[in-house]
Structure formats: structure tokens, C-alpha cells
């Protein structure tokens, strides 16, 4: 089922992506659970309204009771009554560098998660499955740290100016040339904040009279940038090329809504790896469609740069395509490079235009010098230019870890979403009580995971998200898998109805597997 | 040993019930309210079943017999 590839001639390697359907019984029970919690939520709201219970959340002041209500919509109801009950799985304070292992501060709550107190103990050596530390550059010692410390003493910590005024350092120029060489594009520009890269540059590229075709599950920064630009936005189904082609055809044939004039520009917004699903964009097909209908492509490689591809150059390298086919290549340095900020790469005319007209270049402070040096050192490490093979080894180790971890979890019988090669592994939980229980049970066993529910995911599809790293050794992965197996049996999380035949003990091969129906 | 395994298994089943109906997340007084409501409803259903189900079953049985009885007479008359 997974090996059938449409447009097979465009893909040089098998594209294995699966989103198993929610079992009917599980969906019914999840709705039942949410129904019970909603009833109790109404009861608690009633008690808070009539002062039977002390109200600990935010409410309007007495003088504002006649104004438009601020806290009556569903999201606030959900926050007060459902999120508060399981809040101890989020915002956990850590007190060491978040590498492969992290130290966490222990905290307890005596009033059901409304307030927390610290016991004073530190939980040491928690295996970190939640940081976007794909290549393991979140370290406190090593070449990156030494170089960044040197630049800190030379340039200071802050720039205190925008790129266009006094904030353009020679370090920034060096970084931009390096990033352009890394991506294989003509020119690149970097910004201080990854979110701002998207939200401030899309308005500079498109405006009224243009059309934006954006994927269903795009990140909030892309959605915000698209809305700020004032262009017409149309949504196509997630990673669905038939839906995209239909929208493109309709756009070309019918033009703008009332005047029927042709669109000034059509921009397709996609991401390299979608962080909630773990799916990889069908880039060869998107590029073929873009060329056929003469539109532009904006690729957001926040999670895929450094994490995919044989040389770590992202999703374009993974599919073996030409970087010049993508018009605007955007990415962030937050995930694989252990720094902060974002970049946009493309043709020289485009980047020169963005240097003048981007909102971020005009108004936002430029990147801090030690951060720039961290990025320069880590990019050189990945490219192998500093002489060592650490970068290449890490890229390979991440790919091995990904395939091993995903295969083992699928064999155990969990429902795992996404592509076989993506280092983001969402494990489906569905029921609201299991979200809190999973987070707590894993922390008891010294493993830190991120659990996600509404509103980041659809309401019944809550999940636990594992982010793999190149610094996770096989022992750490095996220990995590053992604990996940145990917790899965304890909480009954093994919903999958497809049973994989377990492979014989062949280490990290690229193999096919038979699938048997249970 | 079997009693201990049985008790563990029953406790595990109770935990599954708690997780599915989200009473794992409730405060103790909410749990008391929820279980009281559930046990009351269950008791009422079982009591109603105890009173009415035998009567219903015997009525259904008599109806079936009535049907078969008629058929038997008809069959006999045709054969004759």
C-alpha cells in the first residue's frame, strides 16, 4: 500500500507516507471522554459564576461586565476546564543545556495545576525527546561554543540597530555568502527571528491582486504573513497534488473573483517537513505543477534544513532536485543549527529587492554576533569544511536513528503518522486523559516527551511527538522504546490494525517489508 | 497467587475505565459525583431489566408459539 507512487517518474526513491485512519471505537470513546469533560466544565463554570467556587482564572473586571465578553469562546472554555487539568505536562522548567539529556526541575501542584511549587530537587539525565535538536548542535562545549565566545568578546552581545541603518556587520555578510553556498542558490539574506522571516517577507513579495495557494496545515507564521499581505488566499488539502492542480487550473481559467483579470502572481506556500504530522512535501510534483502553470514556489524548510538529505541540505537535496527550481527558499536556524533566526535564499534580484523592501530589514534589529558565529561554525561543520567528518557522521546518524525508531514503534503496534524518513515521529494518543497520563508516566520513567492536543491538532487527534536527534545513541533509543512499550501496554495505546512482520536483526538497511492484515 | 493476579488485572481494568471516561483527570469530589451518577444509572437499568425482561421474554415466546401453532394446523390440513 505504501509503495504505490503516482508520477513515479519524478521520484528517484520510494516515497513512504502513511496516515492510518482513526479506529471507529477509539473515535467514539474519545468523543465520550470530551463529552464528560465538557459537562463537568459547564458545572465548574456554573459554580464559579455563582461564587460557590473560587475563580482562579482571568475574568473581566466588575466595571467591564457589560462590555463584549472576552473569555466566553470555546478556546477559553477549553483552557479553563480541560487544559488546566493536564497543564503539568507543558512549560516544564529545565536547568541544563537541552541536548540528548536534560535536567528538569521537579515541581508539584497542590491545587490541581493552578499554581506550582518547586520541591527543590532536580531530575537529572532525563532523555530529551522534545527538543528540535536534529543534528545535536545544542551543546555547551565544542568548536561552536569556542568560536561564539571569541566573537562575543570581540563584537559584544547586541547590535542595537536594524540592517539598513548601523546593524550590518561583516559577520552578517560572511554568513549570507556561506548560507547561499550551503543551499546552492545565488544569494541569501538572514533575519533575527524565524517567525518574523515568514510574517514580514511574504507581505513584501505579494500584495493585493495576487493569489496565495497555501497548504492546509501550514504554520502560523506563514498564515500570518499571507493574511498581512492582503492577497487572496486559497487552501489546498494537505500534500494533495490533485487539489493543488485543481486550484491552479481554476485560478488560471477564472482569474480574479469579480473582474476576471489574470492574477498578478500565484505563490504556492508549502513547508519541507510539517511538524505536527511528520510528513514531507511532495516536492517533485509541486515543482512540475509550478512549471506547468507558471507560478512561484515558497518553500519553508524550518524543520527539514540540516535534517534531510544525504548532505544535510534539506528537502531539495533529499529528492535530488535543482535548488534553482524553488523560487524562494526560506528556513530557520533554530532547529538543526542550534542558533536563532531565519534566512531567505533565491536569485540575486529577489534578495536585493528584499534587502530594500522587507519589513524585517527596515524595522527589526539584526542578528546578534555570537549567534551569527554559531551558525557559521555549525554550517561549516555540516559542509565538512572545517576538516573533520563530524557533520557528515551526524547527518547519517540522524537518518539511521529515524528509520530504526520509526520501524520499531510501528512493529510494536502504535499508530505513527508521517513519512518514513522524517525525524519527527507523532504517536497517536486520541483520548484526553491519555494525553496527561502519557506525559506523566514518561517523566516518571525519566523520559521527557512533548504531548500535543487541541488547538494545535484537530480535537480528537491528539498525539505525542518525538523529535529525534543525531546525539541520541542506540542505548538511549532502546531505553526509550522499552519505556514507550511499557507505557503503551499500561495505557492501551497500541491501536494499529496493520501488523508489520518484524525484520530479522539487520542493522539499519534500506529494506522493504511485508505488511500483513491482523 | 491467582488472587493477586486477578486483583492486579481488575485494578488495571479500573484504570482503563478511568482513562476512557476521563475520571483520571477529575478532582476527588468530581469523581464522587460522576461515580454516584453512573452507579445510580446502572442500578436503575439493572433493576428495570430484572423486573421487565422475564415478562417480555415469556410474551415473545408465546407469540412465537402462536405463529408456529397456526402454521402447524395449516400444514396438517393441506396434507389431509
Amino acid at each position: 500500500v505504501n509503495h504505490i507512487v503516482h508520477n513515479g517518474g519524478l521520484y528517484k526513491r520510494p516515497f513512504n507516507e502513511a496516515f492510518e485512519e482513526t479506529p471507529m471505537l477509539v473515535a467514539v470513546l474519545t468523543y465520550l471522554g470530551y463529552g464528560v469533560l465538557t459537562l463537568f466544565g459547564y458545572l465548574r463554570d456554573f459554580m464559579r459564576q455563582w461564587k460557590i467556587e473560587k475563580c482562579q482564572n482571568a475574568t473581566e473586571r466588575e466595571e467591564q461586565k457589560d462590555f463584549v465578553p472576552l473569555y466566553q469562546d470555546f478556546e477559553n472554555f477549553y483552557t479553563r476546564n480541560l487544559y488546566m487539568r493536564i497543564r503539568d505536562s507543558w512549560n516544564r522548567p529545565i536547568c541544563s543545556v537541552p541536548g540528548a539529556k536534560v535536567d528538569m526541575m521537579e515541581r508539584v501542584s497542590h491545587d490541581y495545576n493552578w499554581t506550582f511549587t518547586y520541591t527543590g530537587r532536580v531530575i537529572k539525565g532525563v532523555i530529551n525527546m522534545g527538543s528540535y535538536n536534529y543534528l545535536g548542535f545544542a551543546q555547551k562545549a565544542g568548536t561552536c561554543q569556542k568560536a561564539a565566545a571569541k566573537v562575543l568578546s570581540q563584537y559584544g552581545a547586541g547590535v542595537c540597530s536594524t540592517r539598513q541603518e548601523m546593524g550590518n556587520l561583516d559577520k552578517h555578510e560572511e554568513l549570507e555568502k556561506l548560507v547561499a553556498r550551503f543551499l546552492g542558490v545565488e544569494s541569501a539574506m538572514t533575519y533575527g527571528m524565524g517567525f518574523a522571516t515568514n510574517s514580514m517577507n511574504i507581505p513584501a513579495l505579494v500584495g493585493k491582486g495576487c493569489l496565495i495557494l497555501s497548504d492546509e496545515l501550514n504554520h502560523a507564521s506563514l498564515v500570518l504573513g499571507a493574511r498581512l499581505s492582503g492577497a487572496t488566499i486559497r487552501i489546498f488539502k494537505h500534500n494533495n497534488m490533485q487539489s493543488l492542480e485543481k486550484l491552479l487550473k481554476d485560478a488560471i481559467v477564472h482569474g480574479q473573483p469579480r473582474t476576471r483579470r489574470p492574477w498578478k502572481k500565484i505563490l504556492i506556500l508549502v513547508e519541507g517537513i510539517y511538524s505536527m504530522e511528520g510528513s514531507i512535501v511532495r516536492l517533485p510534483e509541486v515543482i512540475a505543477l509550478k512549471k506547468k502553470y507558471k507560478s512561484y514556489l515558497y518553500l519553508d524548510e524550518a524543520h527539514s534544513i540540516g535534517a534531510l538529505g544525504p548532505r544535510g541540505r534539506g528537502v531539495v537535496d533529499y529528492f535530488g532536485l535543482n535548488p534553482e527550481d524553488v523560487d524562494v527558499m526560506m528556513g530557520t536556524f533554530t532547529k538543526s543549527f542550534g542558533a536563532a533566526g531565519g534566512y531567505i535564499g533565491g536569485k540575486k534580484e529577489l534578495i536585493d529587492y528584499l534587502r530594500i523592501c522587507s519589513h524585517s530589514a527596515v524595522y527589526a534589529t539584526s542578528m546578534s554576533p555570537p549567534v551569527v558565529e554559531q551558525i557559521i561554525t555549525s554550517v561549516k561543520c555540516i559542509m565538512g569544511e572545517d576538516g573533520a567528518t563530524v557533520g557528515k557522521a551526524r547527518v547519517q546518524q540522524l537518518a539511521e536513528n529515524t528509520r530504526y525508531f520509526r520501524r520499531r514503534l510501528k512493529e510494536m503496534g502504535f499508530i505513527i503518522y508521517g513519512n518514513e524518513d522524517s525525524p519527527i515521529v507523532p504517536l497517536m494518543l486520541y483520548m484526553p486523559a491519555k494525553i496527561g497520563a502519557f506525559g506523566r508516566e514518561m517523566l516518571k520513567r525519566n523520559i521527557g516527551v512533548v504531548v500535543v492536543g487541541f488547538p494545535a491538532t484537530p480535537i480528537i487527534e491528539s498525539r505525542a511527538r518525538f523529535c529525534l536527534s543525531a546525539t541520541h545513541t542506540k542505548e538511549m533509543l532502546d531505553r526509550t522504546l522499552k519505556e514507550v512499550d511499557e507505557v503503551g501496554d499500561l495505557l492501551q495505546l497500541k491501536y494499529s490494525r496493520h501488523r508489520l512482520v518484524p525484520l530479522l536483526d539487520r542493522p539499519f538497511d534500506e529494506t522493504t517489508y511485508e505488511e500483513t492484515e491482523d | 497467587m491467582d488472587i493477586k493476579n486477578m486483583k492486579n488485572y481488575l485494578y488495571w481494568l479500573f484504570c482503563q475505565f478511568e482513562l476512557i471516561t476521563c475520571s483520571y483527570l477529575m478532582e476527588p469530589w468530581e469523581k464522587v459525583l460522576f461515580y454516584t451518577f453512573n452507579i445510580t444509572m446502572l442500578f436503575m437499568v439493572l433493576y428495570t431489566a430484572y423486573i421487565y425482561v422475564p415478562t417480555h421474554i415469556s410474551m415473545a415466546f408465546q407469540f412465537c408459539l402462536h405463529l408456529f401453532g397456526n402454521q402447524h394446523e395449516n400444514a396438517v390440513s393441506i396434507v389431509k
Side-chain angles (χ1 to χ4, degrees), chain A residues 119-178:
Chain A
T119 58
R121 236 170 48 96
V122 170
I123 312 174
K124 288 201 181 291
V126 176
I127 296 183
N128 186 2
M129 285 303 208
S131 287
Y132 300 133
N133 186 16
Y134 300 129
L135 292 178
F137 281 109
Q139 309 161 301
K140 57 181 181 183
T143 45
C144 297
Q145 180 262 337
K146 289 197 185 63
K150 188 155 161 293
V151 166
L152 177 63
S153 57
Q154 203 180 347
Y155 285 84
V159 186
C160 307
S161 183
T162 68
R163 283 301 288 276
Q164 288 193 357
E165 291 177 9
M166 291 282 286
N168 194 17
L169 304 174
D170 56 346
K171 278 282 169 205
H172 292 132
E173 305 274 326
E174 188 191 332
L175 172 63
E176 287 174 359
K177 289 200 185 64
L178 183 63

Side-chain angles (χ1 to χ4, degrees), chain B residues 1-70:
Chain B
M1 273 311 289
D2 215 23
I3 306 278
K4 190 169 184 305
N5 282 348
M6 194 52 140
K7 276 208 319 208
N8 279 345
Y9 180 65
L10 284 176
Y11 180 66
W12 179 82
L13 267 184
F14 175 66
C15 281
Q16 295 308 306
F17 169 78
E18 267 201 328
L19 281 173
I20 290 178
T21 55
C22 300
S23 45
Y24 172 83
L25 301 174
M26 295 180 194
E27 299 173 25
W29 64 270
E30 287 173 336
K31 274 195 204 180
V32 163
L33 212 64
F34 186 63
Y35 290 153
T36 317
F37 175 76
N38 273 6
I39 292 178
T40 316
M41 295 306 288
L42 189 68
F43 173 72
M44 289 204 286
V45 165
L46 286 174
Y47 184 66
T48 317
Y50 171 74
I51 297 205
Y52 285 110
V53 165
T55 325
H56 281 315
I57 289 187
S58 61
M59 271 176 30
F61 192 58
Q62 278 181 8
F63 181 68
C64 284
L65 260 180
H66 180 67
L67 259 182
F68 278 128
N70 263 352

Side-chain angles (χ1 to χ4, degrees), chain A residues 1-6 8 15-16 282:
Chain A
V1 160
N2 288 348
H3 292 296
I4 299 173
V5 168
H6 305 286
F15 188 82
N16 287 334
R282 294 176 185 272

Side-chain angles (χ1 to χ4, degrees), chain A residues 18-257:
Chain A
F19 297 95
E20 194 177 325
E21 229 189 51
T22 314
M24 176 63 82
L25 179 64
V26 172
V28 168
L29 291 176
T30 311
Y31 281 124
L32 174 80
Y34 274 112
V36 168
L37 282 176
T38 313
L39 285 174
F40 275 96
Y42 282 133
L43 175 70
R44 297 292 291 271
D45 273 351
F46 176 77
M47 287 168 54
R48 279 187 272 256
Q49 170 91 359
W50 287 92
K51 308 277 192 295
I52 305 173
E53 188 193 350
K54 187 163 83 104
C55 184
Q56 286 162 314
N57 55 291
T59 41
E60 297 102 327
R61 297 203 318 259
E62 275 306 315
E63 301 87 39
Q64 294 171 330
K65 287 287 185 195
D66 291 325
F67 290 13
V68 173
L70 289 172
Y71 302 109
Q72 263 187 20
D73 57 343
F74 179 66
E75 266 205 38
N76 282 299
F77 175 82
Y78 176 86
T79 308
R80 275 197 302 270
N81 297 310
L82 277 78
Y83 175 72
M84 278 300 172
R85 294 180 194 267
I86 42 178
R87 197 163 78 115
D88 56 315
S89 299
W90 290 287
N91 297 328
R92 290 181 184 147
I94 61 175
C95 47
S96 76
V97 67
K101 290 202 176 176
V102 69
D103 299 336
M104 271 191 207
M105 298 196 61
E106 197 187 18
R107 54 182 190 169
V108 288
S109 173
H110 298 289
D111 53 356
Y112 303 102
N113 291 347
W114 286 98
T115 56
F116 291 104
T117 49
Y118 297 108
T119 58
R121 236 170 48 96
V122 170
I123 312 174
K124 288 201 181 291
V126 176
I127 296 183
N128 186 2
M129 285 303 208
S131 287
Y132 300 133
N133 186 16
Y134 300 129
L135 292 178
F137 281 109
Q139 309 161 301
K140 57 181 181 183
T143 45
C144 297
Q145 180 262 337
K146 289 197 185 63
K150 188 155 161 293
V151 166
L152 177 63
S153 57
Q154 203 180 347
Y155 285 84
V159 186
C160 307
S161 183
T162 68
R163 283 301 288 276
Q164 288 193 357
E165 291 177 9
M166 291 282 286
N168 194 17
L169 304 174
D170 56 346
K171 278 282 169 205
H172 292 132
E173 305 274 326
E174 188 191 332
L175 172 63
E176 287 174 359
K177 289 200 185 64
L178 183 63
V179 166
R181 218 154 37 89
F182 180 70
L183 297 171
V185 290
E186 281 179 24
S187 171
M189 183 170 178
T190 54
Y191 304 92
M193 186 176 159
F195 189 101
T197 311
N198 272 334
S199 50
M200 299 293 119
N201 286 309
I202 297 179
L205 293 171
V206 289
K208 270 184 91 133
C210 303
L211 176 65
I212 291 184
L213 296 174
S214 134
D215 190 292
E216 214 179 2
L217 300 174
N218 268 341
H219 189 253
S221 55
L222 289 164
V223 172
L224 182 61
R227 287 183 189 170
L228 280 175
S229 67
T232 313
I233 308 174
R234 298 209 178 132
I235 315 269
F236 63 93
K237 294 204 185 60
H238 177 60
N239 235 0
N240 188 334
M241 296 298 117
Q242 286 78 23
S243 171
L244 176 60
E245 181 160 21
K246 182 169 180 310
L247 282 180
L248 277 165
K249 275 189 195 165
D250 284 342
I252 305 272
V253 166
H254 296 299
Q256 298 191 29

Side-chain angles (χ1 to χ4, degrees), chain A residues 191-400:
Chain A
Y191 304 92
M193 186 176 159
F195 189 101
T197 311
N198 272 334
S199 50
M200 299 293 119
N201 286 309
I202 297 179
L205 293 171
V206 289
K208 270 184 91 133
C210 303
L211 176 65
I212 291 184
L213 296 174
S214 134
D215 190 292
E216 214 179 2
L217 300 174
N218 268 341
H219 189 253
S221 55
L222 289 164
V223 172
L224 182 61
R227 287 183 189 170
L228 280 175
S229 67
T232 313
I233 308 174
R234 298 209 178 132
I235 315 269
F236 63 93
K237 294 204 185 60
H238 177 60
N239 235 0
N240 188 334
M241 296 298 117
Q242 286 78 23
S243 171
L244 176 60
E245 181 160 21
K246 182 169 180 310
L247 282 180
L248 277 165
K249 275 189 195 165
D250 284 342
I252 305 272
V253 166
H254 296 299
Q256 298 191 29
R258 277 177 304 113
T259 56
R260 299 286 192 217
R261 284 196 209 141
W263 294 101
K264 283 196 214 152
K265 259 180 261 196
I266 302 181
L267 186 67
I268 306 175
L269 292 182
V270 285
E271 285 188 39
I273 293 185
Y274 292 88
S275 65
M276 280 301 152
E277 315 284 311
S279 53
I280 300 181
V281 67
R282 294 176 185 272
L283 197 59
E285 294 178 58
V286 174
I287 288 185
L289 277 175
K290 168 200 100 109
K291 285 183 180 164
K292 180 176 172 188
Y293 292 99
K294 298 206 174 42
S295 52
Y296 298 101
L297 179 60
Y298 185 106
L299 178 66
D300 178 348
E301 285 201 276
H303 287 270
S304 54
I305 191 76
L308 280 185
R311 296 179 305 159
R313 313 270 169 124
V315 69
V316 172
D317 191 33
Y318 174 73
F319 285 113
L321 298 168
N322 189 356
E324 292 183 8
D325 283 335
V326 179
D327 301 293
V328 189
M329 281 180 78
M330 178 265 171
T332 59
F333 298 117
T334 336
K335 280 90 185 178
S336 303
F337 302 97
Y343 65 85
I344 289 199
K347 294 255 174 342
K348 189 165 182 314
E349 294 88 28
L350 171 72
I351 302 297
D352 286 341
Y353 173 77
L354 278 179
R355 280 188 216 279
I356 306 170
C357 295
S358 157
H359 301 209
S360 196
V362 182
Y363 293 112
T365 316
S366 46
M367 229 192 250
S368 164
V371 175
V372 174
E373 186 59 28
Q374 158 82 17
I375 303 170
I376 291 178
T377 326
S378 54
V379 167
K380 283 192 176 147
C381 181
I382 298 175
M383 285 168 70
E385 284 183 2
D386 55 350
T389 52
V390 172
K392 199 163 163 53
R394 282 191 183 180
V395 171
Q396 277 178 348
Q397 181 68 34
L398 177 65
E400 285 174 6

